[in-house]
Amino acid sequence: MADTDNRQHSLESSRLAPDGALQNVLMTSLVALVSALFVSTAAVLLQPRYAAQQSALRQASMANLIESIPSLSSLVLASDADSLQTQLIDLDSGCRATEVSAAEFDARTAENDPEQSRALTTEDGDAQAMLKRRSDLEKVHLLFDKEQLQMAILPVHGPGYQSTLYAWLVLDKDLSSIIALSVTEHAETPGIGSRVEDPAWQRQWTDKQLLDESGELVIRVVKNADDTPYQVDAISGATRTSLGVSNMVRFWTGPLGFGPFLELQRRGEPC
Amino acid sequence: MNTASLLSRPLLRDNPVTVQILGICSALAVTTSLITALTLCAALSIVLCCSSMIISALRQHIPASTRLIIQITIIASLVIVVDLLLKAYLFDISQQLSVFVSLIVTNCLVLGRAEAFAMQHTVRESLMDAVGNSVGYSAVLIIVASIRELLGSGSLLGEPVFTRASEGGWFEPLDFMLKAPSAFFIIGLLVWAVCPRKRVDEHSKTKHTTSLVINPHGASHE
Amino acid sequence: MTELFLTSVFGDNIALAFFLGMCTFLAVSRRVATAVGLGMCMMLVMFITVPFNQIVFTRLLKPGALHGIGLGELDVSFLMLVCAIGTIAATVQILEMLLYRFVPDLFEALGVFLPLLTVNCAILGASLFMVERQYGFVESVVYAGGSGVGWAMAIIMLAAIRERLTFSRIPPGLQGLGMAFIVTGLLSMGFATLSTGG
């Protein structure tokens, strides 16, 4: 068989290369050095473009979000020109953070910086369902009409099945009715978990309620959801990703996320 | 070996997936949609061709004891750069492919061809072999991905081909096609379709892998 | 933790749900004895490399890791791939030497497949998934243990079935590899019932 000849040949030709310790060390070091240079150069050259793509995607996602939801875009058009405000919120207190400018704040870098974030432990909840770290500050985008809050757009993220999900949660003026949920980034299983991005599934979230009549946070994704405004139907075959979305929404509208902020806003006591 | 046979044998007779059992993991995992399969094929082809050429060019200087780690370093560097290129220029698709592009490093096809062919042949021959294997591998992936996407989503390359029942058409997507086991069945049937009469040579599998034996004392043996 | 362990053994079985380590999986599964030996090696290598890579990632490579020495801005996470492979190659080399010295029977029985573990996608994949899901150290250990057990269990099952299939009447074209694929597909379907999907 031809392969035997090949392998015989391989033994011959590799014996041509001296196999002493010096040769081994020299050759491996040389290859390592050249590879390192090659990879580092590529990383340095390509990183800015990648970073630009990522931030372009995130900025575009806000514009896409507004365009894709008719009620949102008509509201934006009907209100004053500068009515979509970005505020930086201190999550624990629910108040505006004034020391840092919202424009310069990047939540993703802050999340990894021990001085601008904190770790979430098992005391905070089920480790599987939560992020590992949470930034102390987060941006929110609020739509005002004549100083009345009309809508809040909250950036939310959380672990899915095999990647981190990023989405926008759009709340109506009562900060309990959901206008829309829009998943913008994920790396879930193509064709299965990735269906959380389908407009058809996301449409389910419109007109659902975060809170029930007594003010309890009840919204969740379940299999075979009923018709109440507190349940969203999970994607069949993509339960884990769907639950990831559920956990994400519940976390960020709960006490560890924007909960304190939303409570203050609902009571009409923004600070 | 002449160019024609180098290019044509890996298509059918020595197909990397159905005969050599190389590169299976990605063949199964990324074939739920045609576009991801095509992107992975392109990435793998680039890595395979470049690594075969580089390793072939260096073959006289690579000592036997450390040859695996040297080959892996070269392949890994190429994969990282291809991954960076993908993230910079094809951002959306790279999100879906994340782990699997990195896994090209351990794709037995790349290392297998480097070890079994590039180490013993000239740069030109290694390139031809790499191209042949890339085409053979891509052919299998494209067939599997087409079947899975068509029957699983009713679309091809993202464009709807069959009108789905949910949109008033006749086609009810076969969810099973998007799941793990369907890929196994399709490839199994593909193996059967490729050689219906000949009994598969069991020995050919072990022969390919024995070339990677390294005795801890330094000399390689069969 | 128990849930993580059980999920990585059954529902998220690294061989049958994520298809990692398939080449070795299909090639070594013709005899149960070799499959058991390889499974053991697989478990050991995963158990050592995943937690070690977790430490390397969190202490050295990830953004903000080098905060303590004033390099908090540095993000060298793109080096994870090469570092992970380095760890795995070193572990496999050491394992090989230890087996040769202390368990020569197993060394002989495994032959070529021991060094092949260096390029096993399951082992590397486990480390990469650990990075993706940001596991802590204890979680890495549990996950590595579970994945190893799951993979070993899967290959032993397939080997047991294939040994018996040699005496069945199968169409010539399907004998060997073709049938191996189909049986693995059936095994995968079985395991899918244990998973909640994703």
Side-chain angles (χ1 to χ4, degrees):
Chain A
M1 215 176 138
D3 279 322
T4 336
D5 300 328
N6 289 342
R7 251 167 295 110
Q8 209 49 42
H9 193 176
S10 103
L11 294 176
E12 294 305 319
S13 64
S14 63
R15 280 199 198 116
L16 289 175
D19 205 356
L22 183 66
Q23 177 78 0
N24 274 301
V25 170
L26 263 172
M27 197 58 195
T28 33
S29 311
L30 196 63
V31 169
L33 190 65
V34 173
S35 307
L37 278 170
F38 180 52
V39 171
S40 313
T41 316
V44 166
L45 287 176
L46 293 171
Q47 187 67 3
R49 203 198 148 96
Y50 173 49
Q53 287 237 346
Q54 275 190 318
S55 68
L57 181 76
R58 273 170 233 160
Q59 282 171 2
S61 72
M62 175 66 87
N64 289 337
L65 176 76
I66 295 176
E67 263 179 42
S68 66
I69 299 163
S71 47
L72 240 182
S73 51
S74 59
L75 262 172
V76 172
L77 286 171
S79 318
D80 318 321
D82 297 321
S83 52
L84 191 64
Q85 281 182 28
T86 304
Q87 291 184 5
L88 199 58
I89 306 294
D90 179 309
L91 292 173
D92 290 321
S93 65
C95 302
R96 278 185 84 159
T98 43
E99 326 80 47
V100 187
S101 113
E104 286 164 6
F105 180 76
D106 179 32
R108 296 201 200 192
T109 16
E111 193 177 276
N112 287 316
D113 182 359
E115 282 168 32
Q116 297 183 62
S117 63
R118 76 173 183 91
L120 295 172
T121 64
T122 41
E123 288 168 1
D124 299 310
D126 175 18
Q128 301 293 326
M130 277 191 321
L131 297 161
K132 302 294 171 179
R133 300 195 67 84
R134 189 215 65 181
S135 163
D136 296 327
L137 309 175
E138 277 284 354
K139 289 187 203 177
V140 295
H141 309 275
L142 305 172
L143 187 70
F144 288 98
D145 185 17
K146 300 177 191 39
E147 315 217 359
Q148 287 290 326
L149 180 66
Q150 297 296 321
M151 182 183 303
I153 303 178
L154 311 174
V156 296
H157 63 291
Y161 173 56
Q162 61 184 36
S163 68
T164 312
L165 311 168
Y166 291 86
W168 296 114
L169 180 65
V170 186
L171 299 176
D172 206 351
K173 57 165 99 61
D174 63 359
L175 296 177
S176 175
S177 313
I178 301 178
I179 294 181
L181 177 76
S182 175
V183 175
T184 52
E185 280 180 56
H186 72 86
E188 300 294 287
T189 321
I192 308 175
S194 68
R195 279 152 67 188
V196 286
E197 251 186 339
D198 282 351
W201 188 75
Q202 289 180 172
R203 237 174 275 138
Q204 277 192 87
W205 288 85
T206 310
D207 294 332
K208 296 290 179 186
Q209 299 286 330
L210 290 176
L211 314 174
D212 64 9
E213 291 90 20
S214 63
E216 289 287 313
L217 181 66
V218 289
I219 186 79
R220 62 174 65 237
V221 177
V222 292
K223 285 178 154 183
N224 308 312
D226 54 27
D227 281 327
T228 66
Y230 312 119
Q231 292 187 352
V232 174
D233 201 25
I235 299 176
S236 73
T239 320
R240 297 262 289 280
T241 312
S242 310
L243 286 178
V245 176
S246 184
N247 294 330
M248 174 177 76
V249 171
R250 290 176 61 84
F251 177 87
W252 287 102
T253 49
L256 287 166
F258 293 110
F261 165 73
L262 292 171
E263 262 308 304
L264 288 170
Q265 292 286 336
R266 284 180 202 126
R267 291 207 299 257
E269 298 163 17
C271 66
Chain B
M1 274 195 178
N2 64 59
T3 314
S5 78
L6 277 176
L7 287 175
S8 63
R9 276 178 68 176
L11 191 60
L12 218 58
R13 223 181 101 178
D14 277 341
N15 187 286
V17 179
T18 57
V19 178
Q20 298 181 54
I21 335 173
L22 299 175
I24 307 284
C25 311
S26 22
L28 302 169
V30 302
T31 45
T32 49
S33 83
L34 192 52
I35 192 100
T36 44
L38 283 171
T39 316
L40 192 77
C41 286
L44 188 113
S45 305
I46 295 172
V47 174
L48 184 58
C49 293
C50 292
S51 69
S52 284
M53 286 199 293
I54 294 173
I55 289 170
S56 172
L58 292 174
R59 71 187 185 281
Q60 310 277 349
H61 305 286
I62 299 178
S65 310
T66 44
R67 73 175 189 275
L68 260 193
I69 197 72
I70 289 176
Q71 287 165 0
I72 291 172
T73 309
I74 295 171
I75 296 170
S77 311
L78 283 166
V79 171
I80 297 179
V81 172
V82 168
D83 190 34
L84 288 170
L85 282 169
L86 208 65
K87 282 189 170 130
Y89 291 101
L90 283 175
F91 187 64
D92 300 316
I93 297 179
S94 80
Q95 296 290 90
Q96 291 181 332
L97 288 183
S98 56
V99 178
F100 297 106
V101 173
S102 300
L103 286 181
I104 295 177
V105 180
T106 55
N107 190 308
C108 350
L109 180 58
V110 184
L111 191 69
R113 291 329 285 170
E115 177 62 16
F117 199 89
M119 285 292 281
Q120 299 94 333
H121 290 86
T122 64
V123 177
R124 194 194 66 85
E125 287 173 332
S126 302
L127 177 62
M128 291 298 118
D129 175 78
V131 170
N133 276 281
S134 302
V135 172
Y137 179 77
S138 305
V140 172
L141 251 67
I142 289 172
I143 293 173
V144 176
S146 305
I147 296 174
R148 286 181 82 188
E149 191 182 353
L150 204 57
L151 295 177
S153 321
S155 62
L156 219 49
L157 288 174
E159 299 299 324
V161 171
F162 300 138
T163 341
R164 299 171 78 125
S166 55
E167 279 141 32
W170 60 273
F171 180 69
E172 195 61 59
L174 289 158
D175 271 350
F176 175 66
M177 281 292 150
L178 297 174
K179 293 207 206 293
S182 65
F184 286 106
F185 294 137
I186 294 175
I187 298 183
L189 294 173
L190 203 61
V191 170
W192 192 11
V194 161
C195 49
R197 274 173 291 276
K198 206 170 58 142
R199 190 201 161 108
V200 171
D201 186 357
E202 294 290 299
H203 298 296
S204 70
K205 293 195 286 278
T206 37
K207 285 240 152 122
H208 274 283
T209 43
T210 47
S211 64
L212 284 164
V213 170
I214 289 184
N215 183 297
H217 289 272
S220 60
H221 68 91
E222 306 277 277
Chain C
M1 287 301 151
T2 341
E3 201 190 306
L4 178 61
F5 182 78
L6 290 175
T7 319
S8 41
V9 174
F10 295 107
D12 271 353
N13 189 292
I14 203 160
L16 295 173
F18 284 105
F19 320 127
L20 295 178
M22 277 296 111
C23 313
T24 325
F25 188 80
L26 289 161
V28 186
S29 53
R30 279 180 295 137
R31 288 181 48 229
V32 175
T34 21
V36 171
L38 185 69
M40 297 287 141
C41 290
M42 191 66 146
M43 282 166 57
L44 193 62
V45 177
M46 263 194 205
F47 200 68
I48 296 173
T49 55
V50 176
F52 187 80
N53 284 328
Q54 200 273 343
I55 298 174
V56 168
F57 183 70
T58 40
R59 303 276 169 223
L60 284 177
L61 299 181
K62 85 171 195 195
L66 294 168
H67 195 84
I69 56 170
L71 288 172
E73 302 285 306
L74 207 59
D75 176 5
V76 280
S77 50
F78 65 91
L79 286 179
M80 187 60 210
L81 186 62
V82 179
C83 290
I85 291 173
T87 323
I88 296 167
T91 314
V92 172
Q93 185 71 65
I94 295 172
L95 177 68
E96 208 179 347
M97 294 193 284
L98 287 174
L99 281 186
Y100 185 76
R101 180 86 168 78
F102 295 112
V103 197
D105 291 335
L106 181 58
F107 181 87
E108 288 302 323
L110 284 178
V112 41
F113 299 111
L114 194 46
L116 262 188
L117 285 181
T118 318
V119 294
N120 191 294
C121 9
I123 303 179
L124 184 64
S127 287
L128 295 180
F129 277 131
M130 172 274 298
V131 168
E132 180 76 46
R133 295 175 196 165
Q134 300 179 58
Y135 283 146
F137 184 75
V138 181
E139 286 172 314
S140 306
V141 174
V142 173
Y143 174 67
S147 299
V149 169
W151 200 92
M153 190 174 70
I155 196 175
I156 294 170
M157 278 168 65
L158 183 64
I161 295 173
R162 282 184 80 180
E163 272 191 354
R164 279 149 186 77
L165 279 181
T166 51
F167 303 110
S168 309
R169 290 174 55 190
I170 300 176
L174 263 183
Q175 280 167 1
L177 189 58
M179 210 54 209
F181 272 110
I182 293 181
V183 171
T184 313
L186 291 169
L187 277 176
S188 176
M189 276 173 78
F191 272 71
T193 59
L194 298 167
S195 153
T196 43

